[in-house]
Amino acid sequence: MSDLDKILKLTKKDIDGLSYEDARSMLSTVVDGLDDSQLPLSDLMKLWEIGEQIASVCDNQLKAAAEKLNDGLPSEE
């Protein structure tokens, strides 16, 4: 089973449980898959939707890390 096949079988719960590093790696695979004109349109659409979900996981984790860092900085008052 290819990496794209594995990604196409991910559930929302699977995606929500990804580490940042895994999500980022999968997002790169999704982008490569979207560039593949050999895939059927239905797979491309599903891949796009999953890519959006994975990108959201990355974004949320980055925001959480930034908040944590900012909470640890002294205020400028």
Side-chain angles (χ1 to χ4, degrees):
M1 180 182 296
S2 75
D3 288 340
L4 276 180
D5 290 333
K6 291 175 187 173
I7 290 172
L8 286 168
K9 294 185 185 309
L10 290 174
T11 65
K12 176 89 170 107
K13 184 177 178 181
D14 295 331
I15 294 168
D16 288 343
L18 291 172
S19 69
Y20 174 79
E21 293 77 13
D22 288 340
R24 192 169 149 232
S25 175
M26 285 185 182
L27 196 52
S28 176
T29 303
V30 166
V31 170
D32 290 343
L34 290 171
D35 286 338
D36 183 359
S37 62
Q38 301 297 322
L39 291 173
L41 181 59
S42 60
D43 284 351
L44 289 172
M45 294 301 296
K46 182 163 174 87
L47 201 53
W48 178 269
E49 291 170 3
I50 291 171
E52 289 285 326
Q53 293 173 11
I54 293 171
S56 178
V57 166
C58 289
D59 187 51
N60 289 340
Q61 290 186 16
L62 286 173
K63 285 179 182 175
E67 284 180 23
K68 198 177 222 183
L69 287 173
N70 288 333
D71 288 346
L73 296 175
S75 63
E76 295 182 20
E77 295 176 22

